[in-house]
Every structure is written in structure tokens, then in C-alpha cells.
Amino acid sequence: MDQVKATENVEESQSVMPQHHGLQKESIWLRPYAVRLSLKIATLRASFGHWIVSSYKAAAILILNTVILFVCFDLAARSSLKVGDLISSPAQQLVGEGKPREKVSYYSSQDWAERNWYEFRLSTKQRYYPYVGWRRAPFKGKTIEIDQNGVRLTPGADCSAKSFKVFTFGESSMWGTGSPSWGTIAANLQKGLEKLRQGPVCVMNFAESAYVSTQDVIMLLLQLRSGNVPDVVLFYSLGGDVPAAYQSGRAGLPANLDQIAARFERRREPPTFVDWLKSTYSYDLINQLIGKLTIANPQQKKPTPGELVNYESMGIDAAKLSDSIVQNYLGNYEIVGALAQKYGFKYFFFLPPLVSLGNKPLTPEEQEMKHMMESDVALYKLFTAVYQTIERESSNYQNLYSMVHIFDRYDGLLWIDGGHVTPIGNQLIAKRMLDVIQARSSDEK
């Protein structure tokens, strides 16, 4: 009976939903496939997620190891560079700045020359200095030494409280480009004054590359304000004023004004990854190694030519600009004169010589230097106009002396480029300065 009732119940249920009979049968058949598909999808999702996690972990470990290895390599490169600076083997190749003046024949007979140009290149690193913009960073070498204030040290200077103090100001020619510490104008003044005077002598060389006369006056003001008052002040300037005005078209402004303004106004492009790499010790080490292998004749490297921007390309008249330069220069002379009267020191302004001016019998090398200087017609025109005007006006300024003709009686090579001379030339310049100081001292007695 139970079996009959069960059969009747089944038949009754089937008779209740006769319209869905086919779909019900299909769903029963497809259900196992759907379940298996869902299981496969879930498995694939789990596998893919596991693969992503594993890949991320592997990539993170790889990147971390790479960073650690790079840091270790950079530290090792830094140590190598430091050790290399402290311990230099006799066979080490000393790479200089790579300019023609480095190869002037005078240096071939000087055993210090190669190291001097090498140290000169290393010492050109600059840092910000209040009010004047820049000075060199501290540096200690065998031929060049710069203190914490960016002042090139003068050998033998005794700067005690009772010393006879002489401050020298100017641009790179007074700083001593091309000369070791003992061959600068300041060093020759030190040696000369030690012979002429009793007691300690202190010659401090406040000159800096590319300085204009206004920066020199500011440096003097900073020393006076600090209580460091000299007995004599020497300005060997103007060599920086003319090129700076040639660049900007305005007198009295510092050199490379556009670059300075761009930094201050943050107009520089944000640093790239390549810029960051170049700032590392690893890059410096690799660059030095490549340099030793490839730079056999560094002066052959030439900059990429670009559009020349100067006062002429700006449409500025050379005569008007030269008058402005002279006015600014003589204005600084008047300011120093007033300071001298207030603080009780003597002051002298010396107009530096140029290879393109004066009547020196030029050697073949010097003739080439003159030709190179005169090839920039706009710069040569401006230099000539400024010098001619100041020489005409010099008779109205008691403490202004021209040195344009100082080398007229010397046949040998003295120039290394258009505005810098050998240590022999510096010796002649220092002697002339000492003669002027002595003569003025005798007149005042």
C-alpha cells in the first residue's frame, strides 16, 4: 500500500507542473557543470591572487636588494674618492680644467704645473656667501689652499693682532689663476713687504673669480664691520666688470646674473632621475675612471655652440655701456676713499693689463692669445672703450694707477690667456704695486 501511495504522489506532483517539465530536466542536467565551473573560477581566482602576492613580494625583495647594493656601492665609491684624494700615487693622471692655457709652454718646465691645474679644477666648487653671492668652498691641496671663508691663503702671512695688514681685492687674475700659492700677486706682496718692514706682515687675498668691483667693495665692508681693519687696501679690478656688463648689457651687476636669478626664482626644471644619478659618488667615481681612459687631450673638448647673447645682440650701444661701467667703477673708488678716511687705511686702485693692450713684444703663443681675444669683436670693443676712458680720467684720481704698459719691456712669454699671466708676470705686477706704495709713503713723510 505504501508503494502505491508513493507512486500516486509522484504522479500527482508531475501533473501539478506540466508546463515546466522540460526546463526542470535541463537544470538538473546542467547543475553539475555549473558547480564544476564555479569551482574552477574560484580556483583560478585564488591562484591568480596568490601569483600577484608572490610576484609583488619577489619584486619588492629585488628592488630592496638593488637599493641596498647601490647604497653599498655608493658608500664604497665615496670611500674610494676620499682615499684617492688623500693618497695619490706618483703615476696618477692629474686631469686639469681642459683649456688651452693649461698647455702654454711655460708650464712644461714647471714640476708643479700639472698638479696645480688639477687642484684648480677641484677648487672651483662654489658655495653661497652672504651679500656677494659666491665664494669657493674650503679646499686644501699642495698648490692651492682655501680657508673656511673662501679666502685663498697666502704663504707666510702672519695675521696676528699687531701685524701690518694688506687686503687685496679683484677677480681671478688677483686670485691667482694659473699660479700656485707661492706665485700669486698676494704671495709676492707678502715676500716683498717682509723685506721692507719690521714685524709681522699679513697679506689677505679676498679676490674671487668673476668678481666685479662692487663685490670687492662689499667684501671690504664686511671685514670693516667685523672689526678687521687693514693698513692698506689694493684693488686690482675691472677685469670682471667688463665681461659681466658684456653678458647682461648693464654695468655694476654680477656675472651670470640670469643664472643666479633663475635659481632664486626657482625657474629651473625639476631635477630628473639622471640629475640625481649625477649627484652620487658612484657617478663621480665612474666619471673619473672613464676620464682617465678617454681624456688624453682634454682641451679638444668643445662646448656645444649656441646663440650668443651679449649687449650687442640686445641692441645696446657700446659707448653708452662703457660710460656706465666707468661711472660705476669710479663710484666704487669714491666709496672706498670715504671708507679709508673713516677707518684710517690707505687705498690703491690698479688697472690690470690685457694681452690686447699695451706694447709688449708678443711671443707667437701670446699673439694667438691676442687674436683669440680680439675675435670676440663686441667684448674687445667694450674693453678698449672702458680702458681708454679710465686712462684719460686717471689723472683726476690720485690713487688710481694704470698697468696697461707694465710688460712693454719684456720679450719673454708672460701671458697664459687674454687676462692672466704666469707667476713671473705676477712678480712684476707685485713689484710695481710695492713701488707705488713706497713712493706714496715717502711723499707723505
Side-chain angles (χ1 to χ4, degrees):
M1 290 294 292
D2 292 338
Q3 186 176 4
V4 172
K5 288 182 178 180
T7 304
E8 291 176 352
N9 288 338
V10 170
E11 290 176 351
E12 183 180 354
S13 65
Q14 289 177 349
S15 64
V16 173
M17 296 183 298
Q19 297 177 352
H20 301 284
H21 179 73
L23 292 174
Q24 185 71 22
K25 291 180 68 176
E26 286 184 13
S27 62
I28 293 172
W29 284 100
L30 290 174
R31 191 173 299 158
Y33 295 102
V35 171
R36 286 197 295 269
L37 181 61
S38 299
L39 290 173
K40 286 184 178 180
I41 292 173
T43 304
L44 287 173
R45 284 179 178 175
S47 300
F48 184 68
H50 179 71
W51 178 81
I52 290 177
V53 172
S54 301
S55 299
Y56 179 81
K57 288 182 178 179
I61 294 172
L62 180 62
I63 293 171
L64 180 61
N65 288 337
T66 302
V67 171
I68 293 173
L69 287 173
F70 181 81
V71 171
C72 293
F73 180 76
D74 201 50
L75 290 173
R78 179 180 182 180
S79 302
S80 299
L81 290 171
K82 295 293 184 183
V83 171
D85 289 340
L86 296 173
I87 306 172
S88 57
S89 63
Q92 179 185 7
Q93 183 182 0
L94 305 177
V95 179
E97 61 169 355
K99 293 184 179 179
R101 62 188 179 186
E102 185 180 343
K103 302 300 180 182
V104 170
S105 60
Y106 166 81
Y107 293 113
S108 62
S109 61
Q110 308 300 318
D111 57 3
W112 49 263
E114 188 177 26
R115 172 159 290 278
N116 179 75
W117 285 114
Y118 167 71
E119 292 182 356
F120 177 79
R121 178 176 63 83
L122 297 181
S123 71
T124 54
K125 181 180 179 181
Q126 297 173 341
R127 65 180 184 182
Y128 172 76
Y129 197 89
Y131 302 106
V132 294
W134 70 88
R135 292 197 70 84
R136 279 173 165 82
F139 179 83
K140 185 175 179 60
K142 293 182 179 179
T143 65
I144 296 173
E145 188 170 355
I146 301 164
D147 70 10
Q148 293 295 320
N149 295 312
V151 176
R152 186 173 187 181
L153 298 182
T154 303
D158 182 352
C159 298
S160 58
K162 297 182 179 180
S163 296
F164 181 78
K165 292 183 182 179
V166 177
F167 292 173
T168 66
F169 297 92
E171 30 71 46
S172 54
S173 55
M174 173 58 85
W175 183 88
T177 295
S179 297
S181 298
W182 58 88
T184 64
I185 296 172
N188 282 286
L189 289 171
Q190 176 73 33
K191 289 179 281 190
L193 287 169
E194 287 174 353
K195 295 177 181 178
L196 295 173
R197 298 186 57 86
Q198 293 182 349
V201 174
C202 171
V203 177
M204 297 191 70
N205 187 358
F206 289 100
E208 183 55 272
S209 293
Y211 264 23
V212 297
S213 57
T214 300
Q215 288 170 300
D216 294 331
V217 174
I218 294 172
M219 283 300 300
L220 173 61
L221 282 170
L222 293 175
Q223 295 305 308
L224 296 175
R225 188 182 67 177
S226 69
N228 189 17
V229 180
D231 296 285
V232 177
V233 172
L234 303 178
F235 283 80
Y236 188 70
S237 51
L238 195 64
D241 293 60
V242 177
Y246 164 87
Q247 282 182 334
S248 65
R250 290 179 288 174
L253 300 180
N256 304 316
L257 179 64
D258 287 343
Q259 297 177 23
I260 297 172
R263 288 186 179 184
F264 183 81
E265 296 168 6
R266 300 183 181 274
R267 284 191 271 117
R268 297 182 65 189
E269 294 294 328
T272 63
F273 178 70
V274 175
D275 295 328
W276 175 77
L277 281 178
K278 288 182 177 181
S279 69
T280 63
Y281 289 100
S282 304
Y283 180 87
D284 286 344
L285 179 62
I286 294 171
N287 194 43
Q288 283 192 18
L289 293 173
I290 293 175
K292 290 180 180 181
L293 294 174
T294 61
I295 305 179
N297 195 9
Q299 72 269 20
Q300 291 179 352
K301 294 178 67 180
K302 296 182 180 180
T304 304
E307 183 182 356
L308 182 63
V309 178
N310 58 42
Y311 73 92
E312 275 198 341
S313 64
M314 300 174 192
I316 297 172
D317 181 65
K320 290 183 179 180
L321 182 57
S322 66
D323 288 343
S324 298
I325 295 170
V326 173
Q327 183 179 2
N328 180 78
Y329 179 77
L330 295 178
N332 285 328
Y333 173 98
E334 298 287 357
I335 291 172
V336 174
L339 291 172
Q341 186 174 3
K342 171 67 177 179
Y343 287 91
F345 59 81
K346 297 177 182 178
Y347 69 101
F348 302 89
F349 276 64
F350 294 96
L351 194 62
L354 294 173
V355 70
S356 58
L357 302 177
N359 300 313
K360 181 188 182 302
L362 300 178
T363 67
E365 287 177 281
E366 291 173 330
Q367 289 174 2
E368 180 63 23
M369 297 171 200
K370 180 181 179 181
H371 173 72
M372 287 294 297
M373 186 172 186
E374 294 176 351
S375 64
D376 190 335
V377 178
L379 181 60
Y380 176 66
K381 183 194 301 184
L382 193 60
F383 259 121
T384 303
V386 169
Y387 268 68
Q388 287 177 348
T389 304
I390 290 183
E391 286 195 294
R392 285 198 307 268
E393 296 290 330
S394 61
S395 59
N396 299 322
Y397 297 86
Q398 185 181 13
N399 298 320
L400 177 58
Y401 300 87
S402 173
M403 288 195 170
V404 169
H405 297 281
I406 189 173
F407 300 140
D408 285 1
R409 294 182 295 172
Y410 295 90
D411 296 332
L413 185 145
L414 294 176
W415 293 98
I416 64 173
D417 60 21
H420 302 94
V421 297
T422 65
I424 299 173
N426 286 335
Q427 187 176 0
L428 296 173
I429 291 167
K431 183 179 184 305
R432 173 69 191 281
M433 291 177 172
L434 290 171
D435 290 343
V436 169
I437 294 171
Q438 277 188 290
R440 287 295 300 276
S441 299
S442 299
D443 293 341
E444 293 173 359
K445 289 181 179 180

